[in-house]
């Protein structure tokens, strides 16, 4: 098979390119820019384009398929040439399905928790040396790439994103996988540039349920009111399996499952619900609860999900991918509940399209209420780049309903403020789907006063 990737440098795209290369396919690709870690990974397998930019001459009639990344535009010269030649152009989720039509497909959907649930399932399957393929949205310990597609594996575990499949395919990715086993972890409005109303966003999950194959299973969080409403209203011919927070106890900062006493490396109600979802999926793959608990005890979490980056006897520093209102609230609650005797300084960086929309900003109402000290950071350059009028501190305080909230729009000012604080008996939680304008968080954690 000869496959060409348009926008090969994307997170999922470059991992899929590597996976297909390992499968023995001939892979070529183009992009206008490729950044780390994509560039190093592609280079290691000889797949990094030697020259950046688009070249219609790379598209030839003998290609078996062209895979189009979200980063490209509909007028991309390579795409236009592929269409002119009548070549089959796939989005990456379409091609994942094409490669896995004969497998059992497990698809993890939801506004939050997808990566962690998928990671937990992969960890348990790997623990028991099961043969499986996968697509996950984070680099995991023990896994070379974020995508694996083989001929042999009987099952694939897929993190099912609800964002659009490609520039020319406006369907959400998770609609295209046609799950046999599906999970919906939660529904909280996101991607307002694509789904301008809450109702249009919720509708995508109803459609997702209807893509589950006949006789399939739907595992869903019954504690999420929106999920429960959508699932109970659905007439799809699938088995509906609810889950909730499992019995547990927290002592000395350690969460232990009951009744068997399995001590966990992860914590927080949201992670315990993620664990319940993963346990049900593994049960559908013939892994008993006892076997699941034995394996999950060594799970340390997905990258950037409540990742401990510094600690002393009286202080922990975490970084987390949380950026949407629901994720922000759940992550703060997890750290505060795990360490009730410590103060919590919570800092969120806002930089996504949704979070920088003044109307959507109101969705953050009271999301940081459990923090003892709330900080919001938005780099001024982000407003300039997105051509949006900058927020003032009052705008942010009013949206979050917290007049004591501190707002920063310059990296150095935020860094100096944190370095001047005393973190004795205090935890710091740094949350962003970005990188705090390049701030070295590990160095910061090391230099905090305690």
């Amino acid at each position: 098979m000869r496959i060409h990737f348009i926008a090969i440098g994307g997170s999922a795209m470059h991992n899929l390119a590597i996976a297909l290369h390992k499968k023995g396919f001939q892979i070529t690709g183009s992009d206008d820019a490729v950044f780390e870690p994509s560039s190093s990974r592609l280079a290691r397998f000889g797949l990094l384009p030697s020259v950046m930019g688009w070249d219609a001459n790379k598209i030839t009639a003998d290609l078996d398929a062209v895979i189009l990344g979200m980063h490209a535009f509909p007028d991309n010269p390579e795409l236009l040439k592929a269409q002119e030649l009548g070549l089959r152009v796939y989005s990456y989720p379409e091609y994942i399905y094409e490669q896995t039509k004969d497998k059992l497909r497990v698809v993890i959907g939801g506004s939050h928790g997808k990566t962690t649930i998928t990671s937990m399932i992969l960890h348990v399957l790997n623990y028991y040396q099961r043969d499986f393929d996968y697509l996950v949205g984070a680099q995991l310990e023990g896994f070379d790439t974020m995508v694996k597609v083989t001929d042999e594996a009987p099952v694939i575990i897929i993190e099912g994103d609800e964002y659009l499949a490609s520039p020319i395919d406006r369907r959400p990715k998770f609609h295209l996988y046609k799950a046999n086993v599906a999970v919906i972890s939660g529904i909280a409005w996101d991607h307002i540039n694509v789904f301008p109303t809450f109702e249009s966003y919720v509708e995508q999950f109803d459609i997702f349920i209807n893509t589950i194959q006949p006789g399939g299973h739907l595992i869903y969080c019954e504690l999420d009111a929106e999920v429960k409403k959508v699932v109970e209203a659905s007439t799809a011919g699938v088995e509906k399996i609810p889950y909730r927070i499992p019995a547990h106890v927290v002592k000395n900062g350690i969460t232990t499952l009951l009744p068997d006493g399995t001590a966990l490396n992860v914590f927080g109600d949201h992670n315990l619900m993620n664990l319940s979802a993963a346990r049900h999926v593994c049960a559908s793959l013939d892994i008993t609860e006892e076997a699941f608990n034995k394996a999950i005890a060594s799970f340390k979490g997905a990258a950037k999900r409540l990742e401990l980056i510094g600690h002393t006897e009286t202080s922990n520093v975490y970084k987390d991918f949380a950026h949407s209102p629901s994720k922000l609230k759940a992550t703060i609650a997890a750290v505060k509940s795990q360490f009730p005797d410590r103060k919590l300084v919570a800092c969120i960086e806002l930089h996504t399209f949704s979070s920088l929309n003044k109307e959507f900003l109101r969705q953050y109402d009271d999301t940081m209420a459990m923090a003892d000290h709330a900080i919001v950071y938005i780099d001024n350059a982000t407003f300039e780049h997105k051509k949006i009028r900058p927020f003032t501190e009052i705008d942010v305080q009013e949206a979050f309903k917290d007049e004591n909230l501190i707002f920063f729009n310059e990296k150095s000012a935020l860094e100096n403020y944190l370095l001047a604080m005393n973190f004795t008996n205090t935890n710091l939680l740094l949350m962003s789907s970005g990188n705090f304008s390049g701030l070295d968080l590990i160095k910061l954690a090391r230099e905090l006063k305690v």
Side-chain angles (χ1 to χ4, degrees), residues 185-233:
S185 60
I187 297 177
W189 191 21
D190 202 355
H191 309 306
I192 66 167
N193 55 322
V194 177
F195 309 113
T197 65
F198 178 66
E199 291 72 24
S200 64
Y201 180 75
V202 172
E203 183 186 6
Q204 308 314 311
F205 291 89
D206 184 46
I207 296 171
F208 174 53
I209 294 172
N210 286 305
T211 68
I212 301 171
Q213 299 302 283
H217 306 291
L218 172 59
I219 297 161
Y220 69 97
C221 180
E222 65 176 334
L223 297 182
D224 186 297
E226 290 300 331
V227 172
K228 195 165 187 271
K229 190 189 306 180
V230 170
V231 171
E232 290 182 349

Side-chain angles (χ1 to χ4, degrees), residues 323-386:
H323 55 94
S324 68
S326 59
K327 294 174 185 175
L328 175 60
K329 191 170 186 176
T331 304
I332 289 173
V335 178
K336 191 62 180 174
S337 300
Q338 198 75 1
F339 301 95
D341 297 329
R342 293 185 187 178
K343 291 182 179 178
L344 175 60
V345 177
C347 179
I348 174 78
E349 177 189 20
L350 302 180
H351 75 107
T352 64
F353 181 91
S354 295
S355 65
L356 296 183
N357 178 285
K358 198 166 183 180
E359 292 302 310
F360 186 83
L361 193 66
R362 296 173 185 171
Q363 302 287 321
Y364 287 90
D365 177 4
D366 286 334
T367 53
M368 302 185 80
M370 286 189 72
D372 298 283
H373 201 90
I375 302 169
V376 172
Y377 171 67
I378 310 175
D379 191 334
N380 258 342
T382 304
F383 287 116
E384 294 170 10
H385 176 70
K386 297 181 185 289

Side-chain angles (χ1 to χ4, degrees), residues 33-50:
V34 180
F35 303 100
E36 292 293 355
S38 303
S39 57
S40 294
R41 288 177 181 159
L42 288 169
R44 188 169 9 128
F45 294 96
L47 301 177
L48 182 67
S50 56

Side-chain angles (χ1 to χ4, degrees), residues 288-317:
T288 66
E289 182 173 336
E290 181 183 5
F292 176 87
N293 287 357
K294 182 179 178 182
I296 206 66
S298 55
F299 178 72
K300 295 178 181 176
K304 298 180 184 176
R305 271 69 175 182
L306 272 179
E307 183 177 344
L308 183 65
I309 60 172
H311 67 94
T312 67
E313 288 185 6
T314 65
S315 177
N316 288 355
V317 181

